[in-house]
Amino acid sequence: MTHEFKKIIKEYGIAKLANVRCVLATVVALDGSSYRKPGVRMLIREDDVMIGAVSGGCVEKEVLFQAQSVFENRATKLMTYDGRFRLGCEGLLYILIESFTPEEALIADFNSIIKNRKSFKLSTSYIKEYGELEGYGTFIHLNSTTYTFNSGTKKQENSLHFLQTMQPCQRLLLIGGEHDAVQLVHFGLSMGWEVNVAITPKENKSISDFHGIDALLDFEPEELPVETIDNNTAVLLMTHSYVKDLKYLMRLKNSKPTYLGILGPIKRREKLLSELLEHDMDIDMDFIENIHGPAGLNIGAETPQEIAISILAEILTVIRKTQPVKLRDKLNTI
């Protein structure tokens, strides 16, 4: 959700320059099931433009209608949306709508947090009662400083609190710059991930070859800046060169990405890992065992686009610590 909040902050800056006021809607609680879970947010401009979503599309018009009173009197309010009677979603949503006027210091600190890939916390006070909740709202904790989204928000001792720790944006590092990387760039960006591509100087590629990526790392394998790889970074080795893959693995051996995948068949993977161990017998076996190769889930993928989806699906299962199953086979709620 960090990437969604990052977009909200960016879009607020655009609205402010245009002298357009904004309010923020946050799903703070849920009874039952719903398309989106508590913690999702949506920015609403007074010209009825909405950034983000709190559902699959069925709730947003009601949120827009309920937001009008917040624009008028700036008082925070709680609304409910009962999908059990309207949509059959079997869920009752509690949505807090508050004036959104973050100060410049908050925005500057937030951008610094995002740049330095640090986590931050949000705390939203509410009660499960429809109507105005004067003084209720959200506190955001950035490093050692706490801010509110508007000047009217005060601490509420006898209320419910929705607490949320936001991790750095998920990052996808693609090592290799062939045409199949372009598809992974496209889908990774559409998921809100930061995407970096690593190439070697001899490949003669530029950042324009990978539209929308955050960075192009142009280094020899031995010089790849592995210190930027953290536990919110997924790495995919896809150079289509055995020699390059081996060199990159040697460079990556002391890093701890959340996911490390390799393209190619099982025999190629086993040969790579055997040679890697020959080069360094002291390599951490956890590094070896956490390598996913061939990368991806077996979904019958054939085209580059389908293969990209299967790889990203596997990365998600690793990040979320889940086992892929058909939703119809799940016994508990989704």
Side-chain angles (χ1 to χ4, degrees):
M1 293 182 183
T2 301
H3 70 278
E4 293 176 321
F5 191 68
K6 178 181 173 183
K7 185 175 182 180
I8 283 172
I9 292 291
K10 179 181 177 181
E11 291 294 332
Y12 167 75
I14 295 172
K16 184 178 180 181
L17 288 174
N19 292 317
V20 176
R21 293 184 300 159
C22 297
V23 300
L24 185 72
T26 303
V27 177
V28 291
L30 168 66
D31 294 337
S33 63
S34 180
Y35 183 81
R36 298 298 305 268
K37 306 302 180 187
V40 67
R41 294 173 173 81
M42 178 173 72
L43 187 71
I44 305 161
R45 294 167 38 131
E46 64 178 336
D47 57 2
D48 294 348
V49 173
M50 294 178 284
I51 293 92
V54 294
S55 74
C58 48
V59 184
E60 281 66 24
K61 287 183 180 179
E62 181 67 19
V63 176
L64 178 62
F65 173 77
Q66 295 285 346
Q68 301 311 307
S69 65
V70 182
F71 280 119
E72 291 171 7
N73 58 31
R74 300 182 182 274
T76 298
K77 73 184 297 185
L78 186 100
M79 63 164 283
T80 59
Y81 190 92
D82 196 338
R84 295 171 297 182
F85 299 108
R86 307 188 194 191
L87 306 167
C89 291
E90 300 301 325
L92 173 61
L93 288 168
Y94 298 86
I95 303 171
L96 192 85
I97 308 174
E98 59 188 309
S99 180
F100 193 69
T101 56
E103 57 186 284
E104 291 297 326
L106 184 161
I107 294 174
D109 280 354
F110 174 79
N111 289 333
S112 176
I113 286 283
I114 294 297
K115 181 180 179 181
N116 294 307
R117 297 185 61 75
K118 295 182 179 180
S119 62
F120 61 98
K121 295 181 178 181
L122 294 159
S123 173
T124 303
S125 60
Y126 69 99
I127 56 175
K128 287 185 173 181
E129 183 177 306
Y130 176 85
E132 291 188 1
L133 299 177
E134 187 173 352
Y136 286 71
T138 303
F139 289 84
I140 181 170
H141 311 278
L142 303 170
N143 291 324
S144 59
T145 306
T146 299
Y147 300 95
T148 59
F149 290 157
N150 62 71
S151 60
T153 300
K154 310 298 179 185
K155 287 186 177 181
Q156 303 295 327
E157 301 295 338
N158 300 315
S159 70
L160 297 171
H161 291 86
F162 176 72
L163 306 176
Q164 195 174 19
T165 298
M166 305 285 268
Q167 299 297 332
C169 290
Q170 183 62 44
R171 176 188 283 161
L172 177 63
L173 172 58
L174 304 174
I175 301 179
E178 302 300 331
H179 69 276
D180 53 351
V182 175
Q183 299 302 326
L184 278 154
V185 166
H186 170 73
F187 286 111
L189 290 172
S190 69
M191 293 167 65
W193 293 2
E194 294 178 1
V195 181
N196 293 349
V197 176
I199 60 170
T200 60
K202 292 181 181 179
E203 291 182 61
N204 195 29
K205 299 279 187 177
S206 69
I207 197 168
S208 62
D209 293 313
F210 309 98
H211 180 70
I213 66 171
D214 294 271
L216 182 68
L217 309 178
D218 195 356
F219 299 93
E220 293 295 343
E222 300 83 357
E223 299 172 349
L224 183 71
V226 293
E227 65 276 4
T228 63
I229 296 174
D230 56 27
N231 57 8
N232 285 293
T233 300
V235 179
L236 183 64
L237 201 51
M238 51 187 311
T239 68
H240 299 281
S241 164
Y242 181 89
V243 174
K244 283 184 182 178
D245 280 358
L246 182 59
K247 288 181 178 179
Y248 277 116
L249 282 173
M250 288 294 295
R251 182 62 174 166
L252 291 165
K253 64 182 181 180
N254 294 319
S255 65
K256 294 183 179 180
T258 187
Y259 171 95
L260 175 56
I262 305 175
L263 290 192
I266 294 175
K267 287 184 178 180
R268 183 178 186 274
R269 178 200 67 195
E270 294 303 313
K271 184 180 177 182
L272 270 171
L273 297 184
S274 295
E275 195 163 346
L276 179 63
L277 287 168
E278 288 178 10
H279 279 79
D280 186 356
M281 293 297 295
D282 296 324
I283 195 168
D284 189 343
M285 290 307 298
D286 286 341
F287 175 79
I288 299 294
E289 292 172 0
N290 288 330
I291 292 176
H292 300 263
L297 296 180
N298 182 15
I299 59 172
E302 295 181 355
T303 67
Q305 294 84 358
E306 293 169 350
I307 293 169
I309 291 170
S310 83
I311 292 171
L312 292 172
E314 183 185 42
I315 294 174
L316 270 181
T317 65
V318 173
I319 293 171
R320 305 281 165 80
K321 296 179 173 60
T322 61
Q323 290 294 326
V325 296
K326 293 180 180 179
L327 291 179
R328 71 179 185 182
D329 295 332
K330 285 197 69 174
L331 298 178
N332 52 353
T333 57
I334 57 175

